[in-house]
Amino acid sequence: MKSKIHEYLKKNLLMSKKHAFLLLFFCISASSISAQENVTYQKPSASILALADFERAPSVSMDSKKQYMLFSYRSTYKTLDDLNQDEIRLGGLRINPVTSIGSAINYISNLKIRKVTDKTETQISGLPKNPRITYITWSPSETKIAFTNTVATGVELWVIDVATASAKKLTDANLNATLGNPYNWMKDNETLIVKMIPKNRPALIDIKKELPKGPTVSASDGSKSQNRTYPDLLKNKTDEANFESLMTSELHKVTLSGSENPFMPADLYAGESFSPDGNYIMLTTVQKPFSYIVPYNRFPLKTVVYDGTGKEVKVVNDVPLNEVIPKGFSSVRKGKRSMGWRGDKPASLYYVVALDEGDQAKKADFRDELFSWDAPFKADPTSVLKTQQRYAGLIWGNDNVAIVYDDWYDTRNQKTYLINPSNLGQAPKIISDRNSQDIYSDPGNFETKRNQYNRYVLAVENNNLFLIGDGFTKEGQFPFIDEFNLGTLKTKRLYTSNTKDKKEDLQSIEDFKKGDVLVLIQSKNDYPNYYFRNIKSKKLTQLTFFKNPFESIKNIYKEVIKYKRKDGVDLSGTLYLPDGYDRIKKSEKLPLLIWAYPAEYKDRNSAGQSDKNPNEFTYPSYGSFIYWVTKGYAILDDASFPIIGEGTTEPNDTFMTQLVDDAAAAIDAVDKLGYINKKKVAIGGHSYGAFMTANLLTHCDLFACGIARSGAYNRTLTPFGFQSEQRNYWDVPAIYNEMSPFMTADKMKTPLLLVHGDADNNPGTFTLQSERYFQALKNLGAPVRLVLLPKEAHSYVAKENILHLLWEQDQFLEKYLKN
């Protein structure tokens, strides 16, 4: 093999010595990799399997009046067979071309309903055989519930009558759900607009058999952009043809009696929404040219408003191909964006336009302008507000009240404006001006309620708005409800949750006068359940009665510990100790597992705040190490790993130093409690947590081993930014290289378990990242094991793969840590 390479190099005189060496290195490396282990699917040890193999509780949906509850049941995991389906990857999408629905969709297998005042659920009768249900939507009157059912040949539309708890099929399996929910309720509660596959849809072209008519050519006009590494993009003309075929739908009107009539001709419909009064429908279609470097939602888009008969009223937006956006997380595209119907008006659109051409680097007194535009759009749009920072959302209320948000990423600043949409001469009032990462100062979210158009708008009662907050403080979490007076702009505390040994999440205010609130209550051992809480009388009425499926760990010790990094930054984590461990004598020193995920901050104060609650239900999953508390390990879950960059300093400028200091502080904190053997500590993480793990094993000697799952290890393969890094590789090449574990693979000598889904579609964490990192580590002599989980994307869903993952982790930890 070497002689052939040397002969080739001699013939190719133009090849540099460096390139020749690299070619030789990788050829030799490839030949030196040993055969793969012949491993079949395994299951973890009994104590872990008992926790992992459980029945998931149903999810709950309620009507707005809280009269009915819909219970949706689905399997705890998918199966490998669920993942083993036809799939085509186009324009950033993964689609089953046979059924015309997303290939990663989660299906519901059963539905039950009950009145809120009852105690027993009623089985929905008439459901399809072996149902695969998704896209569940209540009708405007909330007397019907529509859903789709996927069969072998496609997607059907079904409807449930709430009063009789019975279901019936409305259409054949001809819906097009490639872009999500394929239907919309009309205001009459009797008709739905449905996206259907054209009967003359062309057959897909088999790219493996189709001979190309020429090369694929892409070009640049010289404009700079900052596009990240998007997955599953179009690559050639065949992809374009198949994308167009799969995306094309006709719009039909389907009634509850099953009648069907064409409404709009075939097109690439990407968005459909009715005006609040139901008299207009806004349709967005994908246009050409398509792109090979950005996903479909950045293709040209045309938005047109039609009347109820399908007659065009106005082209309200025409967005060109969007391949170029200026650098920075506060930069946006030019033109109208964030267009939608005002919830407080019968038929008025709103949208935003950048006043700085979308470029955060340009100086501007105002960044965005908000407009309102009344149907039938014959008059010019009206300017409502200019924001000092980038528009970040709004909540309409009534003619006199609306809330608008703006923010700026570089400073993490967020402002909240109170405006009067009917009096544009009245200056907006800034009612909140804060660091968006400062959770201790979070004023909460404004409560909404359904209005006469069945749209959720600000709840205005006696000149007051209402705020529901998470209530994080230095002393712990105390959720609250505040009354905000529109006259004085001051708040009054109406309720503070202070349930001992419980965690109470405030969901919504159901009766403002009586003080009835929907809440979700849980504890370390009590599964989250819904209740009605009267905040005046404190009366509590339980609505759901879900049991704890993890009784085997009900007696483990759980505590949120707080500690400091050596530079004084406050840190925290949730500590778990095995059932029966003697915390007084501490005669046995336990091995410690730390699970973490780094987070970037612009100030030390925010970085040091804790959102952990010891009363949160203990829910073991493959996303943490909690299972191993049953095997005699101490666990520090969700340990704080802040990376801080204050002022003009960016967090990643000192990434490695802070990362190691975070790790050292976590280990020292548990060690000071006297529970652990400092020589037996492992670190683990998923995605950016895997990146963290590889770096820690490379740059410090704190850990005996590590587990890194679905990470990115070579930042030159994500050259236009990653995670919260806005700068590109050519701005700061040293930082990209220093942060890349791949570049220092020769220094990594600590045992590492690498895991990756072999179909990862998360931007930046392609499976290639783990494969190349493994090759480097193996050839450089590091003790490393690579496990590729078949057919899994960035998150793992198949039962066979998850149980095997737990087995792999268990075997690895027993070998390199416990024993």
Side-chain angles (χ1 to χ4, degrees):
M1 183 176 183
K2 292 183 181 179
S3 61
K4 290 183 179 180
I5 293 174
H6 289 154
E7 183 180 346
Y8 175 81
L9 295 178
K10 290 178 182 178
K11 291 180 180 179
N12 290 268
L13 300 178
L14 294 179
M15 180 178 287
S16 70
K17 291 182 179 180
K18 180 178 179 182
H19 290 167
F21 172 77
L22 288 173
L23 177 60
L24 179 62
F25 172 81
F26 281 110
C27 288
I28 294 173
S29 298
S31 67
S32 67
I33 296 176
S34 61
Q36 306 303 304
E37 291 187 20
N38 184 22
V39 177
T40 57
Y41 279 116
Q42 302 293 315
K43 293 181 179 180
S45 54
S47 65
I48 294 177
L49 183 61
L51 293 171
D53 194 8
F54 73 100
E55 184 177 343
R56 179 196 298 268
S59 58
V60 178
S61 168
M62 302 186 198
D63 67 320
S64 64
K65 300 180 184 67
K66 302 300 182 287
Q67 294 177 343
Y68 284 94
M69 308 173 70
L70 181 70
F71 294 79
S72 300
Y73 297 80
R74 68 181 180 94
S75 300
T76 304
Y77 306 107
K78 291 185 177 182
T79 66
L80 202 58
D81 186 58
D82 292 329
L83 304 188
N84 189 33
Q85 58 180 292
D86 292 328
E87 183 180 72
I88 190 166
R89 304 174 183 182
L90 299 170
L93 299 169
R94 293 188 173 186
I95 305 159
N96 183 321
V98 176
T99 55
S100 294
I101 194 170
S103 57
I105 200 80
N106 289 318
Y107 289 113
I108 292 162
S109 58
N110 193 19
L111 294 171
K112 296 180 182 180
I113 199 167
R114 77 162 223 235
K115 289 184 177 180
V116 169
T117 53
D118 291 344
K119 300 297 181 183
T120 305
E121 294 80 39
T122 299
Q123 173 65 50
I124 301 291
S125 65
L127 289 176
K129 185 178 180 180
N130 300 318
R132 292 198 294 167
I133 293 167
T134 190
Y135 298 126
I136 298 173
T137 309
W138 294 73
S139 68
S141 66
E142 299 178 315
T143 59
K144 310 289 183 183
I145 302 172
F147 65 87
T148 65
N149 179 55
T150 303
V151 296
T153 56
V155 179
E156 307 165 334
L157 180 63
W158 287 64
V159 68
I160 297 169
D161 179 75
V162 173
T164 62
S166 60
K168 67 176 183 179
K169 187 171 78 168
L170 295 182
T171 72
D172 293 330
N174 58 355
L175 274 63
N176 191 341
T178 53
L179 290 180
N181 191 343
Y183 69 88
N184 280 272
W185 282 99
M186 295 186 69
K187 194 175 179 63
D188 65 1
N189 294 289
E190 294 291 327
T191 312
L192 302 99
I193 296 292
V194 183
K195 293 165 70 170
M196 292 189 171
I197 299 169
K199 292 181 180 179
N200 61 349
R201 173 196 266 185
L204 296 181
I205 302 170
D206 188 340
I207 194 169
K208 295 180 181 178
K209 297 179 180 179
E210 178 79 0
L211 288 175
K213 295 180 175 59
T216 299
V217 178
S218 299
S220 169
D221 65 359
S223 301
K224 292 184 178 181
S225 189
Q226 190 92 343
N227 291 318
R228 295 208 169 186
T229 49
Y230 297 112
D232 305 330
L233 300 176
L234 302 181
K235 297 180 177 65
N236 47 54
K237 290 295 181 182
T238 301
D239 280 354
E240 288 193 52
N242 286 340
F243 175 82
E244 186 170 5
S245 177
L246 286 169
M247 296 303 111
T248 299
S249 305
E250 297 171 348
L251 297 185
H252 290 242
K253 288 185 176 181
V254 176
T255 67
L256 297 185
S257 64
S259 67
E260 178 185 317
N261 292 291
F263 177 61
M264 296 295 292
D267 211 330
L268 279 69
Y269 296 105
E272 312 85 40
S273 66
F274 282 100
S275 61
D277 65 4
N279 293 328
Y280 299 92
I281 185 171
M282 181 169 63
L283 302 177
T284 298
T285 53
V286 177
Q287 306 290 305
K288 294 181 178 180
F290 301 152
S291 172
Y292 296 179
I293 66 172
V294 293
Y296 84 93
N297 57 1
R298 289 176 61 178
F299 293 0
L301 299 170
K302 184 178 182 180
T303 303
V304 183
V305 173
Y306 299 86
D307 65 17
T309 66
K311 179 182 177 181
E312 181 177 314
V313 176
K314 183 74 173 182
V315 177
V316 293
N317 205 5
D318 208 339
V319 180
L321 178 63
N322 181 23
E323 290 184 335
V324 177
I325 291 181
K327 185 193 299 184
F329 291 166
S330 291
S331 291
V332 295
R333 65 169 175 82
K334 298 178 183 178
K336 302 171 187 171
R337 66 183 203 280
S338 301
M339 180 175 280
W341 296 105
R342 287 182 56 167
D344 63 329
K345 292 288 187 180
S348 297
L349 290 175
Y350 70 91
Y351 62 87
V352 175
V353 174
L355 299 176
D356 56 5
E357 297 185 313
D359 188 350
Q360 71 173 54
K362 292 187 175 182
K363 293 184 178 181
D365 293 331
F366 297 97
R367 294 290 179 176
D368 279 329
E369 187 169 10
L370 172 67
F371 290 89
S372 182
W373 201 4
D374 298 334
F377 314 108
K378 293 181 179 179
D380 291 337
T382 302
S383 175
V384 176
L385 173 70
K386 293 181 179 179
T387 61
Q388 298 176 28
Q389 304 179 125
R390 192 63 70 204
Y391 167 83
L394 59 75
I395 311 173
W396 297 104
N398 55 35
D399 287 341
N400 304 314
V401 179
I403 295 291
V404 181
Y405 302 93
D406 73 12
D407 61 25
W408 199 249
Y409 182 79
D410 285 356
T411 61
R412 308 299 198 270
N413 179 260
Q414 182 185 74
K415 291 181 174 63
T416 304
Y417 301 83
L418 175 65
I419 67 170
N420 184 338
S422 299
N423 185 354
L424 303 181
Q426 183 176 326
K429 300 172 183 177
I430 297 177
I431 58 174
S432 177
D433 189 348
R434 55 182 292 273
N435 183 334
S436 61
Q437 292 185 306
D438 182 357
I439 60 175
Y440 291 173
S441 72
D442 189 346
N445 298 314
F446 284 101
E447 177 67 328
T448 60
K449 65 178 182 180
R450 283 188 19 146
N451 64 5
Q452 69 269 33
Y453 305 118
N454 295 315
R455 302 298 172 100
Y456 281 91
V457 297
L458 289 168
V460 184
E461 298 283 334
N462 299 321
N463 206 39
N464 292 310
L465 302 181
F466 299 87
L467 289 155
I468 297 179
D470 291 327
F472 292 111
T473 72
K474 291 182 179 180
E475 292 73 33
Q477 185 181 7
F478 306 97
F480 62 84
I481 298 175
D482 278 353
E483 184 181 78
F484 177 83
N485 187 270
L486 291 169
T488 65
L489 306 185
K490 293 183 178 180
T491 59
K492 174 184 175 183
R493 184 64 45 95
L494 299 180
Y495 175 72
T496 301
S497 176
N498 194 10
T499 50
K500 185 179 180 181
D501 299 328
K502 303 281 186 180
K503 180 176 184 286
E504 181 178 38
D505 295 310
L506 308 175
Q507 303 292 302
S508 57
I509 303 173
E510 299 306 319
D511 191 311
F512 293 88
K513 294 180 179 179
K514 293 181 179 179
D516 291 334
V517 178
L518 179 69
V519 302
L520 190 68
I521 296 179
Q522 59 192 290
S523 76
K524 167 182 170 286
N525 291 323
D526 294 318
Y527 195 91
N529 276 291
Y530 287 100
Y531 295 76
F532 279 142
R533 160 85 72 184
N534 186 282
I535 62 175
K536 295 180 179 180
S537 68
K538 303 299 187 294
K539 180 182 177 182
L540 200 61
T541 304
Q542 188 167 356
L543 305 180
T544 60
F545 301 86
F546 304 131
K547 302 298 183 182
N548 180 2
F550 310 117
E551 286 287 330
S552 63
I553 57 171
K554 67 180 181 180
N555 293 322
I556 64 172
Y557 178 76
K558 180 179 183 180
E559 176 189 3
V560 172
I561 63 171
K562 296 184 178 181
Y563 50 98
K564 289 184 182 292
R565 201 164 70 177
K566 70 179 183 180
D567 61 358
V569 174
D570 291 320
L571 305 175
S572 63
T574 304
L575 178 66
Y576 297 87
L577 298 175
D579 181 4
Y581 180 77
D582 192 332
R583 293 187 296 113
I584 305 299
K585 293 182 179 180
K586 305 172 187 176
S587 54
E588 180 186 2
K589 300 300 182 183
L590 304 173
L592 172 65
L593 305 180
I594 299 176
W595 189 266
Y597 190 96
E600 295 87 349
Y601 294 87
K602 286 301 292 179
D603 71 292
R604 294 162 56 91
N605 175 58
S606 299
Q609 297 177 359
S610 176
D611 63 356
K612 302 170 183 65
N613 190 325
N615 298 319
E616 184 173 12
F617 179 65
T618 302
Y619 201 126
S621 75
Y622 83 91
S624 76
F625 279 140
I626 295 175
Y627 290 117
W628 277 268
V629 76
T630 66
K631 300 293 293 288
Y633 294 83
I635 314 295
L636 187 62
D637 190 44
D638 192 21
S640 298
F641 271 70
I643 308 296
I644 307 164
E646 295 188 303
T648 58
T649 301
E650 287 297 317
N652 286 339
D653 291 350
T654 54
F655 176 84
M656 211 63 67
T657 299
Q658 295 191 65
L659 194 72
V660 174
D661 288 348
D662 289 332
I667 295 171
D668 288 344
V670 186
D671 183 54
K672 287 178 181 178
L673 295 173
Y675 301 145
I676 64 167
N677 181 344
K678 284 186 72 173
K679 294 182 179 180
K680 291 189 174 185
V681 182
I683 183 72
H686 191 93
S687 194
Y688 206 54
F691 173 73
M692 168 204 72
T693 297
N695 269 310
L696 285 171
L697 297 191
T698 302
H699 296 286
C700 73
D701 58 0
L702 298 170
F703 299 99
C705 60
I707 298 174
R709 302 193 323 224
S710 297
Y713 309 103
N714 184 350
R715 285 305 169 194
T716 69
L717 298 180
T718 56
F720 286 99
F722 58 90
Q723 203 68 8
S724 296
E725 179 57 68
Q726 301 180 82
R727 300 166 295 183
N728 64 45
Y729 175 81
W730 296 271
D731 292 331
V732 284
I735 288 177
Y736 272 69
N737 288 323
E738 289 167 5
M739 290 181 65
S740 296
F742 182 86
M743 301 302 181
T744 50
D746 58 324
K747 297 180 180 180
M748 218 296 287
K749 305 301 180 185
T750 307
L752 174 64
L753 175 61
L754 286 171
V755 183
H756 220 117
D758 74 0
D760 195 332
N761 62 338
N762 183 56
T765 60
F766 302 146
T767 309
L768 178 71
Q769 289 272 5
S770 285
E771 292 173 328
R772 292 293 178 263
Y773 189 40
F774 170 78
Q775 288 176 348
L777 292 174
K778 179 175 174 60
N779 286 302
L780 290 166
V784 61
R785 180 180 178 88
L786 172 64
V787 178
L788 296 180
L789 300 176
K791 302 184 183 300
E792 296 287 4
H794 192 59
S795 298
Y796 316 145
V797 295
K799 184 176 183 178
E800 298 92 332
N801 283 327
I802 290 175
L803 294 183
H804 184 83
L805 166 71
L806 298 177
W807 178 81
E808 288 278 0
Q809 293 183 169
D810 198 28
Q811 297 293 307
F812 179 81
L813 292 171
E814 292 287 314
K815 179 178 180 180
Y816 288 109
L817 188 67
K818 196 171 186 182
N819 299 323

